[in-house]
Amino acid sequence: LVSYLKEAHSYILDFILPGIKDTLITGVHSQKSNDVALLILRFFDEYMEEVRSHMAQEDGFIFPYIDRLLKGIPDPAFHIRDFASRHDSMTSRLNELKEIFLRHYALPNTNVLNQALFNIIACGEDLTSHCEIENRLLVPAVEALEKEATARRENAAVKEATGSEAERPENLSDREK
């Protein structure tokens, strides 16, 4: 699951968003260039940075956290629910862009602008699906890993504190030895 999500991040950041930007540039420049065109491009750049930051946090912190859990190393200072409580699909600003785009570039209509709009809508759907995968599959799986890793750590601590007869031969009588 983590591998799939990493690939999805790469696909969105390296292919989908740059493709939308290229189409937007071509589309708005094929029309009469104005301040709205520049604002749309700036708005999209800010949006791309927001998505890049969101995914960098997942790539740089969440996924390594999961790797540590898989190795049985829980982090008592963080739980996946902390992430899930503030995790969103990043589509609200994309919807704003779509509304601005529709309002200011409805006429004259060109194929390039239609393609840009289609790409924006498709990207929003992809990001919503991506977020749903993280919320409905990843978060519950990581919660189970957290419980398992914490239980293993607690069992190890109890064993270490009490010791077992096999580990502590000095507790055995001479006859038992």
Side-chain angles (χ1 to χ4, degrees), residues 98-106:
K98 181 177 66 174
E99 294 302 320
I100 292 169
F101 195 85
L102 286 171
R103 187 167 305 206
H104 294 284
Y105 283 102

Side-chain angles (χ1 to χ4, degrees), residues 58-81:
E58 291 175 3
D59 289 339
F61 182 76
I62 301 299
F63 297 154
Y65 170 74
I66 294 168
D67 288 340
R68 289 189 302 276
L69 282 176
L70 288 169
K71 294 174 185 167
I73 307 168
D75 181 352
F78 179 80
H79 297 284
I80 197 66
R81 274 285 153 208

